[in-house]
Amino acid sequence: MLDVFEIVDPRFRELILPIAWLERLHTGMRWCEGPVYFADQRCVIWSDIPNNRLMRWCEDTQAAGIFRADSNFANGNTRDRQGRLVTCEHRTRRVTRTEPDGSLTILADRYRGRRLNSPNDVVVKSDGTIWFTDPTYGIASDYEGGGAEAEQDGRYVFRLDPRDGALAVVADDFDQPNGLAFSPDESVLYIADSGGIGREAGNRHIRAFPVRADNTLAEGRLVTAVTPHAPDGFRVDEAGRLWSSAGDGVHCYTPQGELLGKIRVPERVGNLAFGGAAGNRLFICGHTSLYAIFVNTCGAKAVAA
Ligand code: MG
């Protein structure tokens, strides 16, 4: 318990609460991913990919249960500007939106007439555009969705305009693009490349791309490598720091890529999300369990549309 925090840089001390501890909220999943916090429902929704279900844990009852069985092997989740759940689905190789009546709207499933690989993680910008990564993990085996051939020529990062359905490639030089998040002012898009998972060679890093006024990306820069394992999902806090998943827990980096410290988690971490009433609680998807810990910062607030 005493070793939850690993201080690498003294600045990390201001971001943690020495009396906070890592709580295991629920366990029994096979591979957790895609946490998203619903402040209006005081709950977290996340994916249990190989079990083909979306889970939900509620703060009021402290109880977890299945939110959606047969989730089409859902992975990343977020909310759009209207508060609707937006989900990446592996098996159906698409991005969907859950409407207030519970029905699903397909937002994207093809690019230039060919099926997507398997959308992995997703974020919504303040202008309503939906940005998502499309690596091949969900079609690599039946375990995470369904073994199938890739139809795309690459593993792209896409920008979708839900108003007209226009889908555009914003980055095409990734090995396996994975988690993604905007800086607090949305002037920078961070994207993880987890191409090194399952291979000795391959990328294990996060890159940063300036976002132009026309929503294209300028030349990117390397922010940091993330090891052990590789970066999967990550989030940005109110000061622009990156909180990334890693093989040994959660790593906190400055926007320049300096490692400030770690939250040690007894399982490999796939993704995380800020939540709680004050936005200062990190919900962490370990391999088989959902964890939470309070920190002394909060997630980046959405900028005004
Ligand atoms: Mg991911």
Side-chain angles (χ1 to χ4, degrees), residues 73-77 86-90 94-95 119-122 132:
F73 290 76
N75 188 335
N77 297 286
V86 175
T87 300
C88 296
E89 298 178 3
H90 277 180
R94 66 188 189 184
V95 179
N120 187 291
D121 214 342
V122 59
F132 65 93

Side-chain angles (χ1 to χ4, degrees), residues 33 75-76 120-121 133 178-179 232-233 270-271:
E33 249 280 15
N75 188 335
N120 187 291
D121 214 342
T133 55
N178 204 317
D232 193 330
N271 211 333

Side-chain angles (χ1 to χ4, degrees), residues 4-156:
V4 169
F5 299 109
E6 180 178 334
I7 313 269
V8 177
D9 183 302
R11 288 174 287 179
F12 193 54
R13 293 186 191 280
E14 299 167 14
L15 307 180
I16 59 174
L17 302 165
I19 55 171
W21 69 97
L22 187 69
E23 301 168 72
R24 191 170 75 170
L25 303 179
H26 192 61
T27 191
M29 285 71 69
R30 288 206 172 102
W31 175 242
C32 297
E33 249 280 15
V36 57
Y37 183 72
F38 281 71
D40 48 347
Q41 299 175 37
R42 292 172 50 80
C43 73
V44 180
I45 287 174
W46 78 99
S47 298
D48 180 5
I49 303 174
N51 276 321
N52 189 26
R53 59 187 183 175
L54 283 165
M55 304 293 294
R56 176 172 51 190
W57 178 87
C58 296
E59 289 179 289
D60 292 328
T61 60
Q62 303 280 306
I66 296 173
F67 172 69
R68 180 183 299 163
D70 196 6
S71 64
N72 293 314
F73 290 76
N75 188 335
N77 297 286
T78 193
R79 302 184 78 179
D80 70 7
R81 298 292 288 185
Q82 290 73 42
R84 297 168 295 194
L85 176 66
V86 175
T87 300
C88 296
E89 298 178 3
H90 277 180
R91 184 172 61 189
T92 36
R93 302 164 73 166
R94 66 188 189 184
V95 179
T96 59
R97 182 177 65 214
T98 302
E99 306 295 348
D101 66 1
S103 63
L104 296 184
T105 296
I106 300 170
L107 298 176
D109 62 354
R110 286 172 188 271
Y111 176 66
R112 292 185 168 164
R114 301 179 194 165
R115 300 186 75 187
L116 300 175
N117 295 323
S118 53
N120 187 291
D121 214 342
V122 59
V123 63
V124 176
K125 196 164 175 268
S126 61
D127 62 6
T129 52
I130 297 169
W131 303 57
F132 65 93
T133 55
D134 190 38
T136 54
Y137 295 119
I139 56 174
S141 70
D142 289 340
Y143 186 66
E144 283 198 63
E149 292 294 319
E151 297 180 20
Q152 297 298 322
D153 297 328
R155 291 107 180 234
Y156 301 134

